[in-house]
Amino acid sequence: MNEDTPIVPIILGALALLYFGYEVERRRNKLRQIFNMFDREESEIAALLETMVESGQLRPYVLGEPA
């Protein structure tokens, strides 16, 4: 056995990196579940409405302003 290579610190470092990657992915998925309120179809509709407002076909809703 080669006594010059520190096996234990290498294994512990690899385990730490694996855990870090797992934790980052878990938190990203949690944030996606919280903040992804629209699915694809609703996102397309919202984008279309925004372009209609920008082009002047629609006016944005303002509280207290008559329709």
Side-chain angles (χ1 to χ4, degrees), residues 29-40:
N29 287 334
K30 185 177 179 182
L31 288 173
R32 281 190 189 123
Q33 289 176 352
I34 292 171
F35 290 107
N36 283 347
M37 298 187 311
F38 297 126
D39 62 3
R40 177 177 288 230

Side-chain angles (χ1 to χ4, degrees), residues 37-56:
M37 298 187 311
F38 297 126
D39 62 3
R40 177 177 288 230
E41 184 179 336
E42 290 170 332
S43 295
E44 290 174 1
I45 292 171
L48 178 62
L49 289 172
E50 286 180 18
T51 57
M52 291 175 75
V53 168
E54 289 173 0
S55 69

Side-chain angles (χ1 to χ4, degrees), residues 4 7 12 22 24-25 41 43-45 53-54 58 61 66:
D4 295 335
I7 298 295
L12 290 177
Y22 167 77
V24 167
E25 189 64 29
E41 184 179 336
S43 295
E44 290 174 1
I45 292 171
V53 168
E54 289 173 0
L58 288 177
Y61 175 76

Side-chain angles (χ1 to χ4, degrees), residues 5-17:
T5 306
I7 298 295
V8 175
I10 292 174
I11 292 174
L12 290 177
L15 288 174
L17 285 174

